[in-house]
Amino acid sequence: MHFQYWLDNFWSLSVGGLTQGAIYALVALGYTLVYGVLRLINFAHSEVFMTGTFAVIIAWNAVGYDLNAGRPGTGTVIALLALGLVAASLTSAGTALLVERVAYRPLRRKNPPSLVFLITAIGASVVLFESVGLMTDRKLKGAITLVQPKEVFSFFGATVDNVQIIIIVSAIVMMFGLEQFINRTRLGRGVRAVAQNPDAAALMGVNRDRVIMLIFMIGGLMAGGAALLHIIKVGSTQYDVGFILGVKAFAAAVLGGIGNLRGALLGGLLLGLVENWGAGVFGSEWMNVVPFACLVLILMFRPTGLLGESLGRARA
């Protein structure tokens, strides 16, 4: 037990937990959207995130900014970050649409049992996981450090740097933008209609297949944003980078209330906090144990998650 260490570093652990939790939250949005509309757990979403991380590094390498490149200027950094975001978002969204088109759509037309969808999701995940592993020789791939961590301010002994601010603020902005899109646009109303009652939505002229493609694409875009933030924070990726992170993001979605957009954000941030606090108290080797133990305890008392509202009933 390292309780005194936890007390002494409470605020530093909290800031680090919120930073990692923001990435969990963005990935959790993909699970929440798909489940909210299809009642399907898309286990391939972790690999959707993983392909985005590789896309960032490949895009930067393609324009000459690899690990051997010199430190770029501010304008170049902004341009490279924009390039990385576009590359990751397009790659992750394209991967998500490919999974939906190849793995899930043919099954929906045959209306199989839910277990078939679950096994297919796991199969799609393994195919992507192993394919990228073979293409990269299962080696770690590093990225140039575009954003050097610099202290912005401190409080109660905790230092907050520019990288942490970028990650947390970006995640909240993307979450807010997605919620506004779902609640205030015509396409968003279509998503909520299909989530609430697909048959009634079809009678009202909502194209269910188009809505499903839309939610997979949006989930991919959110995962692409998370992929860029992960590269900024960690600086490297590997074929299995999405495995544990994807499991934690799914846990975050369940914790907040799967099918609930705000629940995904709350669950992600809370899971990141508990993960870091647990590591501070029990040691880093317990980092992957404590959050899931807390998840089980919370679900015993709140089986629908902390917020528990479905996507079909979501309001601004």
Side-chain angles (χ1 to χ4, degrees), residues 194-216:
V194 174
Q196 187 170 12
N197 191 323
D199 294 330
L203 291 174
M204 296 297 293
V206 178
N207 187 317
R208 185 168 182 256
D209 284 339
R210 193 169 297 170
V211 167
I212 291 170
M213 287 182 63
L214 177 65
I215 61 166
F216 271 89

mmCIF file with all atom_site columns, all heavy atoms in Angstrom, residues 194-216:
data_model
loop_
_atom_site.group_PDB
_atom_site.id
_atom_site.type_symbol
_atom_site.label_atom_id
_atom_site.label_alt_id
_atom_site.label_comp_id
_atom_site.label_asym_id
_atom_site.label_entity_id
_atom_site.label_seq_id
_atom_site.pdbx_PDB_ins_code
_atom_site.Cartn_x
_atom_site.Cartn_y
_atom_site.Cartn_z
_atom_site.occupancy
_atom_site.B_iso_or_equiv
_atom_site.pdbx_formal_charge
_atom_site.auth_seq_id
_atom_site.auth_comp_id
_atom_site.auth_asym_id
_atom_site.auth_atom_id
_atom_site.pdbx_PDB_model_num
ATOM 1   N N   . VAL A 1 194 ? -34.073 6.104  -34.969 1.00 0.00 ? 194 VAL A N   1
ATOM 2   C CA  . VAL A 1 194 ? -33.755 4.690  -35.193 1.00 0.00 ? 194 VAL A CA  1
ATOM 3   C C   . VAL A 1 194 ? -33.379 4.021  -33.880 1.00 0.00 ? 194 VAL A C   1
ATOM 4   O O   . VAL A 1 194 ? -33.741 2.857  -33.642 1.00 0.00 ? 194 VAL A O   1
ATOM 5   C CB  . VAL A 1 194 ? -32.619 4.544  -36.227 1.00 0.00 ? 194 VAL A CB  1
ATOM 6   C CG1 . VAL A 1 194 ? -32.183 3.087  -36.348 1.00 0.00 ? 194 VAL A CG1 1
ATOM 7   C CG2 . VAL A 1 194 ? -33.078 5.055  -37.585 1.00 0.00 ? 194 VAL A CG2 1
ATOM 8   N N   . ALA A 1 195 ? -32.690 4.735  -33.011 1.00 0.00 ? 195 ALA A N   1
ATOM 9   C CA  . ALA A 1 195 ? -32.318 4.167  -31.715 1.00 0.00 ? 195 ALA A CA  1
ATOM 10  C C   . ALA A 1 195 ? -33.544 3.880  -30.864 1.00 0.00 ? 195 ALA A C   1
ATOM 11  O O   . ALA A 1 195 ? -33.604 2.879  -30.147 1.00 0.00 ? 195 ALA A O   1
ATOM 12  C CB  . ALA A 1 195 ? -31.377 5.124  -30.977 1.00 0.00 ? 195 ALA A CB  1
ATOM 13  N N   . GLN A 1 196 ? -34.548 4.760  -30.955 1.00 0.00 ? 196 GLN A N   1
ATOM 14  C CA  . GLN A 1 196 ? -35.730 4.610  -30.115 1.00 0.00 ? 196 GLN A CA  1
ATOM 15  C C   . GLN A 1 196 ? -36.705 3.581  -30.676 1.00 0.00 ? 196 GLN A C   1
ATOM 16  O O   . GLN A 1 196 ? -37.205 2.715  -29.946 1.00 0.00 ? 196 GLN A O   1
ATOM 17  C CB  . GLN A 1 196 ? -36.435 5.952  -29.965 1.00 0.00 ? 196 GLN A CB  1
ATOM 18  C CG  . GLN A 1 196 ? -37.577 5.936  -28.962 1.00 0.00 ? 196 GLN A CG  1
ATOM 19  C CD  . GLN A 1 196 ? -38.090 7.325  -28.667 1.00 0.00 ? 196 GLN A CD  1
ATOM 20  O OE1 . GLN A 1 196 ? -37.758 8.286  -29.364 1.00 0.00 ? 196 GLN A OE1 1
ATOM 21  N NE2 . GLN A 1 196 ? -38.883 7.458  -27.617 1.00 0.00 ? 196 GLN A NE2 1
ATOM 22  N N   . ASN A 1 197 ? -36.990 3.651  -31.980 1.00 0.00 ? 197 ASN A N   1
ATOM 23  C CA  . ASN A 1 197 ? -37.941 2.718  -32.580 1.00 0.00 ? 197 ASN A CA  1
ATOM 24  C C   . ASN A 1 197 ? -37.652 2.621  -34.080 1.00 0.00 ? 197 ASN A C   1
ATOM 25  O O   . ASN A 1 197 ? -38.145 3.429  -34.865 1.00 0.00 ? 197 ASN A O   1
ATOM 26  C CB  . ASN A 1 197 ? -39.378 3.194  -32.348 1.00 0.00 ? 197 ASN A CB  1
ATOM 27  C CG  . ASN A 1 197 ? -40.398 2.136  -32.722 1.00 0.00 ? 197 ASN A CG  1
ATOM 28  O OD1 . ASN A 1 197 ? -40.236 1.400  -33.694 1.00 0.00 ? 197 ASN A OD1 1
ATOM 29  N ND2 . ASN A 1 197 ? -41.467 2.040  -31.933 1.00 0.00 ? 197 ASN A ND2 1
ATOM 30  N N   . PRO A 1 198 ? -36.854 1.631  -34.502 1.00 0.00 ? 198 PRO A N   1
ATOM 31  C CA  . PRO A 1 198 ? -36.460 1.540  -35.914 1.00 0.00 ? 198 PRO A CA  1
ATOM 32  C C   . PRO A 1 198 ? -37.625 1.346  -36.867 1.00 0.00 ? 198 PRO A C   1
ATOM 33  O O   . PRO A 1 198 ? -37.604 1.873  -37.985 1.00 0.00 ? 198 PRO A O   1
ATOM 34  C CB  . PRO A 1 198 ? -35.508 0.333  -35.945 1.00 0.00 ? 198 PRO A CB  1
ATOM 35  C CG  . PRO A 1 198 ? -35.764 -0.406 -34.680 1.00 0.00 ? 198 PRO A CG  1
ATOM 36  C CD  . PRO A 1 198 ? -36.218 0.594  -33.682 1.00 0.00 ? 198 PRO A CD  1
ATOM 37  N N   . ASP A 1 199 ? -38.651 0.622  -36.459 1.00 0.00 ? 199 ASP A N   1
ATOM 38  C CA  . ASP A 1 199 ? -39.809 0.397  -37.340 1.00 0.00 ? 199 ASP A CA  1
ATOM 39  C C   . ASP A 1 199 ? -40.578 1.691  -37.564 1.00 0.00 ? 199 ASP A C   1
ATOM 40  O O   . ASP A 1 199 ? -40.953 2.015  -38.701 1.00 0.00 ? 199 ASP A O   1
ATOM 41  C CB  . ASP A 1 199 ? -40.727 -0.674 -36.738 1.00 0.00 ? 199 ASP A CB  1
ATOM 42  C CG  . ASP A 1 199 ? -40.053 -2.036 -36.689 1.00 0.00 ? 199 ASP A CG  1
ATOM 43  O OD1 . ASP A 1 199 ? -39.209 -2.306 -37.568 1.00 0.00 ? 199 ASP A OD1 1
ATOM 44  O OD2 . ASP A 1 199 ? -40.368 -2.818 -35.784 1.00 0.00 ? 199 ASP A OD2 1
ATOM 45  N N   . ALA A 1 200 ? -40.824 2.419  -36.500 1.00 0.00 ? 200 ALA A N   1
ATOM 46  C CA  . ALA A 1 200 ? -41.534 3.694  -36.636 1.00 0.00 ? 200 ALA A CA  1
ATOM 47  C C   . ALA A 1 200 ? -40.702 4.692  -37.436 1.00 0.00 ? 200 ALA A C   1
ATOM 48  O O   . ALA A 1 200 ? -41.241 5.455  -38.248 1.00 0.00 ? 200 ALA A O   1
ATOM 49  C CB  . ALA A 1 200 ? -41.854 4.259  -35.252 1.00 0.00 ? 200 ALA A CB  1
ATOM 50  N N   . ALA A 1 201 ? -39.394 4.677  -37.222 1.00 0.00 ? 201 ALA A N   1
ATOM 51  C CA  . ALA A 1 201 ? -38.523 5.571  -37.983 1.00 0.00 ? 201 ALA A CA  1
ATOM 52  C C   . ALA A 1 201 ? -38.581 5.262  -39.474 1.00 0.00 ? 201 ALA A C   1
ATOM 53  O O   . ALA A 1 201 ? -38.605 6.178  -40.309 1.00 0.00 ? 201 ALA A O   1
ATOM 54  C CB  . ALA A 1 201 ? -37.084 5.444  -37.478 1.00 0.00 ? 201 ALA A CB  1
ATOM 55  N N   . ALA A 1 202 ? -38.623 3.977  -39.823 1.00 0.00 ? 202 ALA A N   1
ATOM 56  C CA  . ALA A 1 202 ? -38.719 3.585  -41.233 1.00 0.00 ? 202 ALA A CA  1
ATOM 57  C C   . ALA A 1 202 ? -40.026 4.072  -41.843 1.00 0.00 ? 202 ALA A C   1
ATOM 58  O O   . ALA A 1 202 ? -40.066 4.529  -42.993 1.00 0.00 ? 202 ALA A O   1
ATOM 59  C CB  . ALA A 1 202 ? -38.593 2.072  -41.362 1.00 0.00 ? 202 ALA A CB  1
ATOM 60  N N   . LEU A 1 203 ? -41.111 3.993  -41.080 1.00 0.00 ? 203 LEU A N   1
ATOM 61  C CA  . LEU A 1 203 ? -42.403 4.471  -41.571 1.00 0.00 ? 203 LEU A CA  1
ATOM 62  C C   . LEU A 1 203 ? -42.405 5.979  -41.793 1.00 0.00 ? 203 LEU A C   1
ATOM 63  O O   . LEU A 1 203 ? -43.144 6.489  -42.637 1.00 0.00 ? 203 LEU A O   1
ATOM 64  C CB  . LEU A 1 203 ? -43.505 4.096  -40.579 1.00 0.00 ? 203 LEU A CB  1
ATOM 65  C CG  . LEU A 1 203 ? -43.828 2.599  -40.469 1.00 0.00 ? 203 LEU A CG  1
ATOM 66  C CD1 . LEU A 1 203 ? -44.830 2.358  -39.361 1.00 0.00 ? 203 LEU A CD1 1
ATOM 67  C CD2 . LEU A 1 203 ? -44.357 2.066  -41.797 1.00 0.00 ? 203 LEU A CD2 1
ATOM 68  N N   . MET A 1 204 ? -41.561 6.680  -41.053 1.00 0.00 ? 204 MET A N   1
ATOM 69  C CA  . MET A 1 204 ? -41.447 8.134  -41.192 1.00 0.00 ? 204 MET A CA  1
ATOM 70  C C   . MET A 1 204 ? -40.435 8.523  -42.268 1.00 0.00 ? 204 MET A C   1
ATOM 71  O O   . MET A 1 204 ? -40.163 9.707  -42.460 1.00 0.00 ? 204 MET A O   1
ATOM 72  C CB  . MET A 1 204 ? -41.027 8.756  -39.861 1.00 0.00 ? 204 MET A CB  1
ATOM 73  C CG  . MET A 1 204 ? -42.052 8.578  -38.743 1.00 0.00 ? 204 MET A CG  1
ATOM 74  S SD  . MET A 1 204 ? -43.620 9.394  -39.111 1.00 0.00 ? 204 MET A SD  1
ATOM 75  C CE  . MET A 1 204 ? -43.126 11.103 -39.063 1.00 0.00 ? 204 MET A CE  1
ATOM 76  N N   . GLY A 1 205 ? -39.883 7.531  -42.966 1.00 0.00 ? 205 GLY A N   1
ATOM 77  C CA  . GLY A 1 205 ? -38.986 7.819  -44.079 1.00 0.00 ? 205 GLY A CA  1
ATOM 78  C C   . GLY A 1 205 ? -37.520 7.862  -43.737 1.00 0.00 ? 205 GLY A C   1
ATOM 79  O O   . GLY A 1 205 ? -36.698 8.286  -44.564 1.00 0.00 ? 205 GLY A O   1
ATOM 80  N N   . VAL A 1 206 ? -37.130 7.430  -42.539 1.00 0.00 ? 206 VAL A N   1
ATOM 81  C CA  . VAL A 1 206 ? -35.720 7.414  -42.149 1.00 0.00 ? 206 VAL A CA  1
ATOM 82  C C   . VAL A 1 206 ? -35.064 6.153  -42.716 1.00 0.00 ? 206 VAL A C   1
ATOM 83  O O   . VAL A 1 206 ? -35.561 5.044  -42.506 1.00 0.00 ? 206 VAL A O   1
ATOM 84  C CB  . VAL A 1 206 ? -35.572 7.437  -40.614 1.00 0.00 ? 206 VAL A CB  1
ATOM 85  C CG1 . VAL A 1 206 ? -34.094 7.373  -40.225 1.00 0.00 ? 206 VAL A CG1 1
ATOM 86  C CG2 . VAL A 1 206 ? -36.219 8.686  -40.038 1.00 0.00 ? 206 VAL A CG2 1
ATOM 87  N N   . ASN A 1 207 ? -33.979 6.342  -43.435 1.00 0.00 ? 207 ASN A N   1
ATOM 88  C CA  . ASN A 1 207 ? -33.249 5.219  -44.024 1.00 0.00 ? 207 ASN A CA  1
ATOM 89  C C   . ASN A 1 207 ? -32.351 4.599  -42.954 1.00 0.00 ? 207 ASN A C   1
ATOM 90  O O   . ASN A 1 207 ? -31.341 5.178  -42.562 1.00 0.00 ? 207 ASN A O   1
ATOM 91  C CB  . ASN A 1 207 ? -32.414 5.705  -45.211 1.00 0.00 ? 207 ASN A CB  1
ATOM 92  C CG  . ASN A 1 207 ? -31.774 4.557  -45.975 1.00 0.00 ? 207 ASN A CG  1
ATOM 93  O OD1 . ASN A 1 207 ? -31.251 3.612  -45.389 1.00 0.00 ? 207 ASN A OD1 1
ATOM 94  N ND2 . ASN A 1 207 ? -31.813 4.643  -47.293 1.00 0.00 ? 207 ASN A ND2 1
ATOM 95  N N   . ARG A 1 208 ? -32.715 3.412  -42.480 1.00 0.00 ? 208 ARG A N   1
ATOM 96  C CA  . ARG A 1 208 ? -31.988 2.784  -41.366 1.00 0.00 ? 208 ARG A CA  1
ATOM 97  C C   . ARG A 1 208 ? -30.545 2.458  -41.752 1.00 0.00 ? 208 ARG A C   1
ATOM 98  O O   . ARG A 1 208 ? -29.626 2.677  -40.963 1.00 0.00 ? 208 ARG A O   1
ATOM 99  C CB  . ARG A 1 208 ? -32.712 1.511  -40.926 1.00 0.00 ? 208 ARG A CB  1
ATOM 100 C CG  . ARG A 1 208 ? -32.088 0.856  -39.689 1.00 0.00 ? 208 ARG A CG  1
ATOM 101 C CD  . ARG A 1 208 ? -33.013 -0.208 -39.132 1.00 0.00 ? 208 ARG A CD  1
ATOM 102 N NE  . ARG A 1 208 ? -32.449 -0.812 -37.916 1.00 0.00 ? 208 ARG A NE  1
ATOM 103 C CZ  . ARG A 1 208 ? -31.897 -1.997 -37.874 1.00 0.00 ? 208 ARG A CZ  1
ATOM 104 N NH1 . ARG A 1 208 ? -31.835 -2.754 -38.973 1.00 0.00 ? 208 ARG A NH1 1
ATOM 105 N NH2 . ARG A 1 208 ? -31.416 -2.485 -36.742 1.00 0.00 ? 208 ARG A NH2 1
ATOM 106 N N   . ASP A 1 209 ? -30.328 1.930  -42.943 1.00 0.00 ? 209 ASP A N   1
ATOM 107 C CA  . ASP A 1 209 ? -28.966 1.588  -43.361 1.00 0.00 ? 209 ASP A CA  1
ATOM 108 C C   . ASP A 1 209 ? -28.072 2.816  -43.411 1.00 0.00 ? 209 ASP A C   1
ATOM 109 O O   . ASP A 1 209 ? -26.899 2.767  -43.038 1.00 0.00 ? 209 ASP A O   1
ATOM 110 C CB  . ASP A 1 209 ? -28.984 0.906  -44.737 1.00 0.00 ? 209 ASP A CB  1
ATOM 111 C CG  . ASP A 1 209 ? -29.439 -0.541 -44.656 1.00 0.00 ? 209 ASP A CG  1
ATOM 112 O OD1 . ASP A 1 209 ? -29.360 -1.129 -43.560 1.00 0.00 ? 209 ASP A OD1 1
ATOM 113 O OD2 . ASP A 1 209 ? -29.868 -1.083 -45.686 1.00 0.00 ? 209 ASP A OD2 1
ATOM 114 N N   . ARG A 1 210 ? -28.651 3.929  -43.860 1.00 0.00 ? 210 ARG A N   1
ATOM 115 C CA  . ARG A 1 210 ? -27.865 5.168  -43.927 1.00 0.00 ? 210 ARG A CA  1
ATOM 116 C C   . ARG A 1 210 ? -27.507 5.676  -42.526 1.00 0.00 ? 210 ARG A C   1
ATOM 117 O O   . ARG A 1 210 ? -26.393 6.150  -42.291 1.00 0.00 ? 210 ARG A O   1
ATOM 118 C CB  . ARG A 1 210 ? -28.661 6.225  -44.689 1.00 0.00 ? 210 ARG A CB  1
ATOM 119 C CG  . ARG A 1 210 ? -27.861 7.442  -45.108 1.00 0.00 ? 210 ARG A CG  1
ATOM 120 C CD  . ARG A 1 210 ? -28.640 8.298  -46.062 1.00 0.00 ? 210 ARG A CD  1
ATOM 121 N NE  . ARG A 1 210 ? -28.929 7.586  -47.311 1.00 0.00 ? 210 ARG A NE  1
ATOM 122 C CZ  . ARG A 1 210 ? -29.766 8.036  -48.249 1.00 0.00 ? 210 ARG A CZ  1
ATOM 123 N NH1 . ARG A 1 210 ? -30.388 9.190  -48.071 1.00 0.00 ? 210 ARG A NH1 1
ATOM 124 N NH2 . ARG A 1 210 ? -29.965 7.335  -49.342 1.00 0.00 ? 210 ARG A NH2 1
ATOM 125 N N   . VAL A 1 211 ? -28.452 5.557  -41.609 1.00 0.00 ? 211 VAL A N   1
ATOM 126 C CA  . VAL A 1 211 ? -28.195 5.962  -40.227 1.00 0.00 ? 211 VAL A CA  1
ATOM 127 C C   . VAL A 1 211 ? -27.112 5.093  -39.608 1.00 0.00 ? 211 VAL A C   1
ATOM 128 O O   . VAL A 1 211 ? -26.217 5.586  -38.902 1.00 0.00 ? 211 VAL A O   1
ATOM 129 C CB  . VAL A 1 211 ? -29.495 5.893  -39.394 1.00 0.00 ? 211 VAL A CB  1
ATOM 130 C CG1 . VAL A 1 211 ? -29.186 5.986  -37.898 1.00 0.00 ? 211 VAL A CG1 1
ATOM 131 C CG2 . VAL A 1 211 ? -30.440 7.008  -39.794 1.00 0.00 ? 211 VAL A CG2 1
ATOM 132 N N   . ILE A 1 212 ? -27.159 3.800  -39.855 1.00 0.00 ? 212 ILE A N   1
ATOM 133 C CA  . ILE A 1 212 ? -26.156 2.887  -39.304 1.00 0.00 ? 212 ILE A CA  1
ATOM 134 C C   . ILE A 1 212 ? -24.776 3.206  -39.854 1.00 0.00 ? 212 ILE A C   1
ATOM 135 O O   . ILE A 1 212 ? -23.789 3.233  -39.119 1.00 0.00 ? 212 ILE A O   1
ATOM 136 C CB  . ILE A 1 212 ? -26.551 1.428  -39.593 1.00 0.00 ? 212 ILE A CB  1
ATOM 137 C CG1 . ILE A 1 212 ? -27.793 1.061  -38.773 1.00 0.00 ? 212 ILE A CG1 1
ATOM 138 C CG2 . ILE A 1 212 ? -25.399 0.476  -39.279 1.00 0.00 ? 212 ILE A CG2 1
ATOM 139 C CD1 . ILE A 1 212 ? -28.413 -0.262 -39.137 1.00 0.00 ? 212 ILE A CD1 1
ATOM 140 N N   . MET A 1 213 ? -24.698 3.473  -41.162 1.00 0.00 ? 213 MET A N   1
ATOM 141 C CA  . MET A 1 213 ? -23.419 3.890  -41.734 1.00 0.00 ? 213 MET A CA  1
ATOM 142 C C   . MET A 1 213 ? -22.924 5.178  -41.077 1.00 0.00 ? 213 MET A C   1
ATOM 143 O O   . MET A 1 213 ? -21.730 5.332  -40.796 1.00 0.00 ? 213 MET A O   1
ATOM 144 C CB  . MET A 1 213 ? -23.558 4.096  -43.241 1.00 0.00 ? 213 MET A CB  1
ATOM 145 C CG  . MET A 1 213 ? -23.694 2.822  -44.052 1.00 0.00 ? 213 MET A CG  1
ATOM 146 S SD  . MET A 1 213 ? -23.794 3.162  -45.821 1.00 0.00 ? 213 MET A SD  1
ATOM 147 C CE  . MET A 1 213 ? -22.205 3.924  -46.129 1.00 0.00 ? 213 MET A CE  1
ATOM 148 N N   . LEU A 1 214 ? -23.857 6.091  -40.809 1.00 0.00 ? 214 LEU A N   1
ATOM 149 C CA  . LEU A 1 214 ? -23.494 7.372  -40.196 1.00 0.00 ? 214 LEU A CA  1
ATOM 150 C C   . LEU A 1 214 ? -22.900 7.173  -38.806 1.00 0.00 ? 214 LEU A C   1
ATOM 151 O O   . LEU A 1 214 ? -21.870 7.775  -38.470 1.00 0.00 ? 214 LEU A O   1
ATOM 152 C CB  . LEU A 1 214 ? -24.726 8.279  -40.124 1.00 0.00 ? 214 LEU A CB  1
ATOM 153 C CG  . LEU A 1 214 ? -24.525 9.634  -39.431 1.00 0.00 ? 214 LEU A CG  1
ATOM 154 C CD1 . LEU A 1 214 ? -23.552 10.492 -40.224 1.00 0.00 ? 214 LEU A CD1 1
ATOM 155 C CD2 . LEU A 1 214 ? -25.863 10.352 -39.256 1.00 0.00 ? 214 LEU A CD2 1
ATOM 156 N N   . ILE A 1 215 ? -23.515 6.311  -37.991 1.00 0.00 ? 215 ILE A N   1
ATOM 157 C CA  . ILE A 1 215 ? -22.997 6.148  -36.631 1.00 0.00 ? 215 ILE A CA  1
ATOM 158 C C   . ILE A 1 215 ? -21.646 5.439  -36.629 1.00 0.00 ? 215 ILE A C   1
ATOM 159 O O   . ILE A 1 215 ? -20.782 5.745  -35.804 1.00 0.00 ? 215 ILE A O   1
ATOM 160 C CB  . ILE A 1 215 ? -24.002 5.410  -35.721 1.00 0.00 ? 215 ILE A CB  1
ATOM 161 C CG1 . ILE A 1 215 ? -24.288 4.012  -36.263 1.00 0.00 ? 215 ILE A CG1 1
ATOM 162 C CG2 . ILE A 1 215 ? -25.264 6.220  -35.541 1.00 0.00 ? 215 ILE A CG2 1
ATOM 163 C CD1 . ILE A 1 215 ? -24.973 3.121  -35.269 1.00 0.00 ? 215 ILE A CD1 1
ATOM 164 N N   . PHE A 1 216 ? -21.445 4.513  -37.550 1.00 0.00 ? 216 PHE A N   1
ATOM 165 C CA  . PHE A 1 216 ? -20.124 3.877  -37.641 1.00 0.00 ? 216 PHE A CA  1
ATOM 166 C C   . PHE A 1 216 ? -19.085 4.903  -38.074 1.00 0.00 ? 216 PHE A C   1
ATOM 167 O O   . PHE A 1 216 ? -17.962 4.913  -37.564 1.00 0.00 ? 216 PHE A O   1
ATOM 168 C CB  . PHE A 1 216 ? -20.161 2.704  -38.620 1.00 0.00 ? 216 PHE A CB  1
ATOM 169 C CG  . PHE A 1 216 ? -20.544 1.395  -37.991 1.00 0.00 ? 216 PHE A CG  1
ATOM 170 C CD1 . PHE A 1 216 ? -21.875 1.019  -37.912 1.00 0.00 ? 216 PHE A CD1 1
ATOM 171 C CD2 . PHE A 1 216 ? -19.588 0.541  -37.470 1.00 0.00 ? 216 PHE A CD2 1
ATOM 172 C CE1 . PHE A 1 216 ? -22.240 -0.184 -37.319 1.00 0.00 ? 216 PHE A CE1 1
ATOM 173 C CE2 . PHE A 1 216 ? -19.934 -0.655 -36.880 1.00 0.00 ? 216 PHE A CE2 1
ATOM 174 C CZ  . PHE A 1 216 ? -21.271 -1.026 -36.799 1.00 0.00 ? 216 PHE A CZ  1
#
